[in-house]
């Protein structure tokens, strides 16, 4: 009688040993996940604080428009030629208008909607590019929608002979309202 053959029984698979290293194909360990989360939270907190700090610093630089002084000296009458002088157009938005014996300052602002007209020396007129108003060499409107002549600025001769101009005080000529301030002694100077 033959004895039954003793075949080796299959060994049960041993459970995987915890090594602390991520297993291939099975993601990260809880420690690594927690570390990643901690870094993300810290990055958010520092980012939030950093943005708020920059906003705080921004308060020290107010959004202010620095406009030129409304009162300024334009120099001697002899500094200007007869006609229209554009020397202060860019810096102060005025034209100095000089004739033999008189001088006045025109505020370069169209009386329709406030655009800056162009001086056209070939035609001796001011032409507003916005809606086509036209003014003669003295700033008196004669065409287009402008309702009145361009305003004139306050001027005064100083003790040293120079001329002080103040744009904060304007003289107007409003024919329909019966107002004419162009002959005020500070609207036109005898030179
Ligand atoms: S703003 Fe000058 S014509 Fe309208």
């Amino acid at each position: 009688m033959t004895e039954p053959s003793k075949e080796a029984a299959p060994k049960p698979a041993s459970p995987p040993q915890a090594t602390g290293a991520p297993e291939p194909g099975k993601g990260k360990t809880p420690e690594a996940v927690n570390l990643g989360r901690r870094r993300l939270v810290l990055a958010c907190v520092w980012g939030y604080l950093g943005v708020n700090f920059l906003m705080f610093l921004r308060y020290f630089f107010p959004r202010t428009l620095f406009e030129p002084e409304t009162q300024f000296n334009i120099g001697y009458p002899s500094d200007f030629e007869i006609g229209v002088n554009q020397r202060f157009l860019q810096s102060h938005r005025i034209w100095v208008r000089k004739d033999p014996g008189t001088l006045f300052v025109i505020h370069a602002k169209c009386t329709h909607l406030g655009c800056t007209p162009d001086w056209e020396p070939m035609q001796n007129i001011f032409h507003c590019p916005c809606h086509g108003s036209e003014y003669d060499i003295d700033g008196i409107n004669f065409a287009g929608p402008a309702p009145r002549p361009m305003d004139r600025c306050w001027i005064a001769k100083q003790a040293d002979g120079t001329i002080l101009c103040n744009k904060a005080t304007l003289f107007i000529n409003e024919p329909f309202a019966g107002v004419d301030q162009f002959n005020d002694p500070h609207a036109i100077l005898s030179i």
Side-chain angles (χ1 to χ4, degrees), residues 132-177:
S133 289
E134 292 181 327
Y135 305 80
D136 69 12
I137 191 171
D138 291 333
I140 310 296
N141 60 310
F142 65 89
R148 66 174 198 273
M150 284 188 279
D151 302 336
R152 298 186 183 174
C153 301
W154 182 97
I155 47 178
K157 202 181 268 186
Q158 303 297 281
D160 62 358
T162 59
I163 298 170
L164 191 65
C165 176
N166 190 341
K167 277 176 58 183
T169 301
L170 296 174
F171 298 94
I172 67 168
N173 183 333
E174 180 63 85
F176 296 112

Side-chain angles (χ1 to χ4, degrees), residues 109-117 128-135 144-146:
K109 183 176 178 182
C110 181
T111 53
H112 179 221
L113 292 178
C115 291
T116 301
C128 184
C130 294
H131 311 97
S133 289
E134 292 181 327
Y135 305 80

Side-chain angles (χ1 to χ4, degrees), residues 4 19 31 34 43 48-49 60 68 81 93 102-103 108 114 123 128 145 152 156-158 171 173 179-180 182:
T19 61
E31 291 79 8
N34 285 341
Y48 175 80
L49 292 175
F60 293 100
E81 70 276 11
R93 203 181 182 187
T102 59
L103 183 147
Q123 301 164 266
C128 184
R152 298 186 183 174
K157 202 181 268 186
Q158 303 297 281
F171 298 94
N173 183 333
V179 176
D180 182 1
F182 282 1

Side-chain angles (χ1 to χ4, degrees), residues 20-119:
E23 290 179 29
K26 286 213 174 182
K28 299 176 178 176
T29 61
E31 291 79 8
V33 170
N34 285 341
L35 187 63
R37 282 183 188 151
R38 197 173 303 138
R39 282 186 181 142
L40 179 65
V41 170
L42 279 176
C44 290
V45 170
W46 280 113
Y48 175 80
L49 292 175
V51 168
N52 278 275
F53 182 65
L54 291 176
M55 289 164 61
F56 168 71
L57 289 182
R58 183 66 185 81
Y59 282 108
F60 293 100
F61 303 93
R63 298 173 197 273
T64 307
L65 284 178
F66 295 98
E67 296 197 349
E69 297 277 334
T70 57
Q71 181 166 295
F72 48 95
N73 195 306
I74 62 173
Y76 296 94
S78 57
D79 293 341
F80 304 98
E81 70 276 11
I82 300 294
V84 171
N85 190 288
Q86 307 209 75
R87 186 182 311 168
F88 294 97
L89 181 60
Q90 289 298 322
S91 57
H92 292 91
R93 203 181 182 187
I94 61 166
W95 288 291
V96 178
R97 171 79 175 91
K98 181 180 170 186
D99 265 339
T102 59
L103 183 147
F104 57 88
V105 170
I106 301 173
H107 188 210
K109 183 176 178 182
C110 181
T111 53
H112 179 221
L113 292 178
C115 291
T116 301
D118 297 318
W119 167 239

